[in-house]
Amino acid sequence: MNGSAQQGFGYRARRTFIRLLVFFLILGLGGGVVFLLSQLNSRTFTLAPVDGQLVVMKGRMAPMGCLLYT
């Protein structure tokens, strides 16, 4: 009558499961990207002026920030 038939529980459950699977896949890929950026940053050294001296800074295990390298 109205062009769309009633879908059964199985169809809706499968559609919901696929949407959840895709959501967690995207979430996992995003976490992987953050982890790999963290690994890359932790192996990075930079030079920065601190109190009129040039010091070496080493990256941390996060996508941002660095600490004084001693």
Side-chain angles (χ1 to χ4, degrees):
M1 291 188 195
N2 58 6
S4 64
Q6 288 279 351
Q7 282 110 12
F9 176 74
Y11 175 78
R12 289 181 289 155
R14 183 176 50 209
R15 186 180 61 194
T16 302
F17 175 73
I18 290 173
R19 286 182 179 178
L20 280 173
L21 187 67
V22 168
F23 172 75
F24 285 122
L25 180 67
I26 291 170
L27 194 66
L29 288 174
V33 166
V34 169
F35 175 75
L36 290 175
L37 284 173
S38 178
Q39 288 283 322
L40 183 64
N41 191 50
S42 70
R43 296 181 178 120
T44 303
F45 293 89
T46 58
L47 295 174
V50 174
D51 296 330
Q53 293 182 339
L54 197 59
V55 296
V56 177
M57 306 290 276
K58 185 178 186 321
R60 293 191 285 176
M61 278 295 291
M64 60 190 163
C66 54
L67 295 172
L68 182 64
Y69 183 68
T70 57

